Amino acid sequence: MGEQPIFSTRAHVFQIDPNTKKNWVPTSKHAVTVSYFYDSTRNVYRIISLDGSKAIINSTITPNMTFTKTSQKFGQWADSRANTVYGLGFSSEHHLSKFAEKFQEFKEAARLAKEKSQEKMELTSTPSQESAGGDLQSPLTPESINGTDDERAPDVTQNSEPRAEPTQNALPFSHSSAISKHWEAELATLKGNNAKLTAALLESTANVKQWKQQLAAYQEEAERLHKRVTELECVSSQANAVHTHKTELNQTIQELEETLKVKEEEIERLKQEIDNARELQEQRDSLTQKLQEVEIRNKDLEGQLSDLEQRLEKSQNEQEAFRNNLKTLLEILDGKIFELTELRDNLAKLLECS
């Protein structure tokens, strides 16, 4: 199946300055993905991180590695093969603890895998050594295949003596043929064993060469690790400066985290204000629509009012004309009444005179 990711997290990646061996150099401008990979073919665990297309971490986990927490959110480990020290800055202590737990888990798995590999090599080498030992203790020689002169002598003696009296020695001759067949079968068996032992010896020789190469590689690795330990001891003498730099970095990281927290709070506040503005806009749109409806209704009412005013004015005009007519009629009536009064008075005077 090849190499597959088994755990991932995000962190800021640093490397120790190769010149000063005491200052941290950031290898990523922002937090990147850091993953554990497992190669089932080679039974190997690796830590890999990419910044774009550039690999900023490619570290194979070995049993002698140690992941150290130097602060609440920062951890580091030394990679002797890459000849560097990696540092990771996490966003929280929980992420740091989780990464450290996985590092310890995969480190233990790498140790068990190495022990199993060594046990398998020992089991493979033991039968080959036994076969080679047996071959050396019992070498195949012409005497072991065909027998020694003392073992072959009785057959020759028995075959030479009966020639004077063949009828009396027929039984020994048949016995000699059986022995010859027995030795031929024994010879075939020994040849087969010899071929097997030769193949085992060749395999053992090849394994010995391979072990010598591995031993030389281990010795070189040990010397390199010894030099690395010496370098780390020299670096440890400058621990105070490194600790001061770590403290400054931690303070800077804390300040950046606080700033980030403030920015996040401001973003949340702006989001709330945007939501409130949207609600106000919706209310404004609703009120605008209602206002338009009210204006339309007002126009209708104004039209109705104007019609009523015209009707009222017409009615008032009619009433005024009616009043004028009535006033005229009253004046005429008053004149008629005055005339009737004068007529009555005249009639009364006539009556008095007569």
Side-chain angles (χ1 to χ4, degrees):
M1 294 176 64
E3 199 169 26
Q4 298 291 333
I6 52 180
F7 176 78
S8 298
T9 186
R10 293 185 66 82
H12 292 270
V13 180
F14 299 86
Q15 282 190 14
I16 201 72
D17 190 349
N19 298 323
T20 62
K21 298 293 183 181
K22 63 180 181 179
N23 297 326
W24 288 108
V25 178
T27 57
S28 64
K29 296 181 181 180
H30 49 80
V32 295
T33 301
V34 182
S35 303
Y36 286 98
F37 279 78
Y38 175 62
D39 189 345
S40 58
T41 305
R42 298 185 299 163
N43 204 11
V44 171
Y45 294 86
R46 288 199 302 164
I47 302 174
I48 297 177
S49 179
L50 298 177
D51 188 5
S53 59
K54 179 183 177 183
I56 55 178
I57 297 179
N58 186 3
S59 177
T60 301
I61 299 176
T62 59
N64 58 346
M65 281 186 177
T66 302
F67 185 82
T68 305
K69 296 180 182 179
T70 57
S71 68
Q72 292 182 350
K73 299 179 181 179
F74 193 86
Q76 66 183 43
W77 79 94
D79 189 343
S80 58
R81 295 183 179 180
N83 194 23
T84 188
V85 179
Y86 293 105
L88 296 179
F90 296 89
S91 60
S92 65
E93 185 176 1
H94 172 72
H95 290 86
L96 172 61
S97 300
K98 191 67 176 178
F99 186 89
E101 291 175 2
K102 292 295 181 181
F103 190 98
Q104 186 65 27
E105 177 184 345
F106 299 144
K107 171 186 171 183
E108 184 67 17
R111 184 184 66 80
L112 294 175
K114 184 177 180 181
E115 291 179 355
K116 288 182 180 180
S117 177
Q118 291 177 350
E119 290 176 359
K120 186 181 293 185
M121 291 173 60
E122 292 174 358
L123 292 175
T124 305
S125 63
T126 302
S128 301
Q129 291 176 355
E130 291 178 355
S131 300
D135 189 21
L136 293 173
Q137 292 173 5
S138 301
L140 295 176
T141 61
E143 289 80 2
S144 66
I145 297 173
N146 299 324
T148 61
D149 292 339
D150 294 338
E151 293 172 346
R152 294 196 302 270
D155 298 335
V156 175
T157 304
Q158 290 174 1
N159 293 332
S160 61
E161 291 179 356
R163 290 184 181 181
E165 298 176 356
T167 57
Q168 296 178 1
N169 293 295
L171 184 61
F173 180 76
S174 61
H175 180 67
S176 177
S177 298
I179 291 175
S180 177
K181 291 179 179 180
H182 171 72
W183 282 114
E184 288 177 357
E186 189 70 22
L187 176 61
T189 303
L190 289 173
K191 285 183 178 179
N193 291 337
N194 186 24
K196 293 179 180 178
L197 292 173
T198 302
L201 181 60
L202 293 175
E203 182 181 357
S204 177
T205 304
N207 289 333
V208 168
K209 290 181 180 179
Q210 184 180 1
W211 296 333
K212 285 182 180 179
Q213 293 175 356
Q214 291 180 354
L215 179 60
Y218 291 153
Q219 288 176 349
E220 292 178 359
E221 182 71 13
E223 291 177 359
R224 191 169 63 82
L225 290 175
H226 181 69
K227 292 180 181 179
R228 182 60 182 165
V229 169
T230 304
E231 293 175 358
L232 291 175
E233 288 177 353
C234 294
V235 172
S236 64
S237 61
Q238 302 173 352
N240 292 330
V242 174
H243 181 70
T244 303
H245 187 65
K246 287 179 182 177
T247 304
E248 293 175 356
L249 284 176
N250 291 332
Q251 291 178 353
T252 303
I253 291 171
Q254 290 178 355
E255 291 175 357
L256 290 175
E257 289 177 351
E258 291 177 356
T259 304
L260 179 62
K261 186 177 180 180
V262 172
K263 294 295 183 183
E264 289 178 350
E265 292 177 353
E266 186 176 355
I267 289 171
E268 291 295 330
R269 183 177 59 79
L270 291 174
K271 286 181 179 179
Q272 291 179 357
E273 290 180 357
I274 290 172
D275 292 337
N276 294 332
R278 287 177 180 174
E279 292 178 357
L280 292 174
Q281 183 66 27
E282 291 176 356
Q283 293 177 0
R284 179 177 172 276
D285 294 340
S286 177
L287 292 174
T288 303
Q289 186 177 0
K290 291 181 179 179
L291 181 61
Q292 291 176 353
E293 294 176 355
V294 170
E295 289 178 351
I296 293 171
R297 188 174 179 183
N298 284 337
K299 288 181 180 179
D300 293 338
L301 292 175
E302 286 177 356
Q304 294 176 3
L305 181 61
S306 176
D307 188 19
L308 290 174
E309 287 179 349
Q310 291 177 359
R311 291 180 181 180
L312 179 61
E313 185 177 358
K314 183 178 180 181
S315 177
Q316 288 178 351
N317 292 332
E318 290 177 353
Q319 288 180 0
E320 186 67 25
F322 179 74
R323 287 177 183 174
N324 292 331
N325 293 331
L326 184 61
K327 186 177 181 182
T328 303
L329 182 61
L330 289 174
E331 289 177 353
I332 294 171
L333 184 61
D334 288 338
K336 296 295 182 181
I337 292 171
F338 180 74
E339 291 177 355
L340 289 174
T341 303
E342 287 183 350
L343 180 61
R344 183 179 66 83
D345 292 337
N346 291 327
L347 289 175
K349 287 179 178 180
L350 289 175
L351 289 174
E352 289 178 358
C353 291
S354 62

